[in-house]
Amino acid sequence: MRSVPWWALLSSACAPVLLVGGWTVSAVLQGPGYDPGSATISILASDGAQGYWVMTSALVGLGVCDVVTACGLRSAARAGRMALGGGGLSAMLLALFPAPASGGSLDHGTVVAVGFALLALWPVLAVRRPGHAWRPGRRPEPLDPPPASGLPPASGLPPASGLPPASGRVPAEGAVPWGLRHRPSLMASGLMWLGGGWFLLALFVNDTAGAAERVVTFAQAFWPLVVVLSCVRWTGGDARTG
């Protein structure tokens, strides 16, 4: 049984393509006066922008992809899936709260901040604990459940629920897909938060907000694909080894 349906793999692959394609086409429509290194993506989706409809459609499509991926990524913990879906909804809400042609907007800034926070948190919230037996398409169950009768085993020893397996070792992280392990997820989330700090610094000091925003948003759009691919690969390897 596959842990990730084909449509979730498709949605996760489409998300970064829509994002990059959207800001590329919108920048061309905006004309040579637009500097992608210093100007933010929000300008491309602001009221009166030449490529408004392209960038807005790309953001809505990106949000839909994140929501679809969250629904199909059953291998991830529920909190992480909800955070990913919430980030997708935030991207879609940007169509209702676009950036103004000039100046700032509290509504737009709030939606952007909430969406960024959810997408930066979802990798760590989606982590699966290796201390539970994980199977594709099934809820994790405690190791070595007690006998159905509730009686102790014939050896006279107490039931083994809550004890390590017979080998005496707790399952390693290899029992969980790579993208849902602690270290990769913590690293991905940490880099996203560092990218957010870089964006704020670039916005107010270095005048390179456009470059920083593109790096951060691409990372947040690309990570779901990394997680999905790791789940598909792990499932395939598990099936081959029996």
Side-chain angles (χ1 to χ4, degrees), residues 46-111:
S46 62
D47 295 327
Q50 296 296 323
Y52 164 80
W53 61 276
V54 175
M55 194 67 243
T56 300
S57 300
L59 291 174
V60 172
L62 171 65
V64 171
C65 287
D66 283 345
V67 172
V68 172
T69 303
C71 293
L73 194 57
R74 304 184 186 98
S75 309
R78 181 176 298 178
R81 296 170 63 192
M82 292 179 64
L84 176 59
L89 291 175
S90 298
M92 288 187 278
L93 283 176
L94 290 177
L96 300 178
F97 301 102
S102 61
S105 170
L106 179 61
D107 293 337
H108 177 80
T110 300
V111 173

Side-chain angles (χ1 to χ4, degrees), residues 16 29-30 42 51 60-61 68 73 75-76 79 81 92 102 136-137 163 176 178 185 193 195 223 239-241:
L29 295 176
Q30 191 69 10
S42 297
V60 172
V68 172
L73 194 57
S75 309
R81 296 170 63 192
M92 288 187 278
S102 61
L163 293 178
V176 177
W178 181 86
S185 300
W193 284 107
W223 183 250
R240 288 191 299 269
T241 58

Side-chain angles (χ1 to χ4, degrees), residues 86-194:
L89 291 175
S90 298
M92 288 187 278
L93 283 176
L94 290 177
L96 300 178
F97 301 102
S102 61
S105 170
L106 179 61
D107 293 337
H108 177 80
T110 300
V111 173
V112 170
V114 171
F116 167 80
L118 289 173
L119 292 177
L121 285 172
W122 95 266
V124 293
L125 295 177
V127 168
R128 280 293 191 188
R129 292 182 299 165
H132 285 75
W134 185 86
R135 291 293 182 273
R138 296 176 57 186
R139 293 183 177 180
E141 299 176 357
L143 295 169
D144 298 335
S149 63
L151 297 176
S155 62
L157 296 176
S161 60
L163 293 178
S167 63
R169 295 178 298 175
V170 176
E173 281 200 335
V176 177
W178 181 86
L180 298 176
R181 299 177 191 175
H182 286 86
R183 291 183 181 179
S185 300
L186 286 172
M187 183 177 297
S189 183
L191 289 175
M192 290 177 192
W193 284 107
L194 287 176

